[in-house]
Amino acid sequence: MSRDPRRRDASPVTHEDEIAGPTSGETTTVPDPVRSTFDRGVVWCARGAAWLVFAAMAISVFEVIMRYGFGSPTSWVHESVV
């Protein structure tokens, strides 16, 4: 039995669906999300796409600063982001 910290009455709550943690002497292994060559390709593409989204956001911030801060809009920013 354990106490649920989110409950105000602090009454004991049992969780029958909980998985028991490792006991002494047992080791825990984290499953590897990359299992095959296809998985490696997917992870590589996802990381590349994430960096491209970050770059698009940075370019958009630059455009907003140039347009509203300095009154000098650029046309290449919209085309680059799209």
Side-chain angles (χ1 to χ4, degrees):
M1 291 181 19
S2 63
R3 295 189 186 272
D4 189 355
R6 295 171 292 195
R7 292 181 56 139
R8 291 181 180 217
D9 59 355
S11 61
V13 177
T14 59
H15 298 284
E16 296 175 4
D17 296 336
E18 283 188 277
I19 299 174
T23 59
S24 63
E26 292 181 356
T27 59
T28 58
T29 58
V30 177
D32 185 16
V34 180
R35 297 181 194 160
S36 66
T37 304
F38 179 75
D39 288 339
R40 280 195 244 346
V42 168
V43 168
W44 186 81
C45 288
R47 286 184 180 158
W51 280 107
L52 288 174
V53 168
F54 179 73
M57 185 268 318
I59 292 171
S60 296
V61 167
F62 171 76
E63 170 62 17
V64 168
I65 291 171
M66 292 303 292
R67 176 173 295 198
Y68 297 109
F70 298 107
S72 177
T74 58
S75 61
W76 63 269
V77 172
H78 177 71
E79 296 298 324
S80 298
V81 170
V82 169

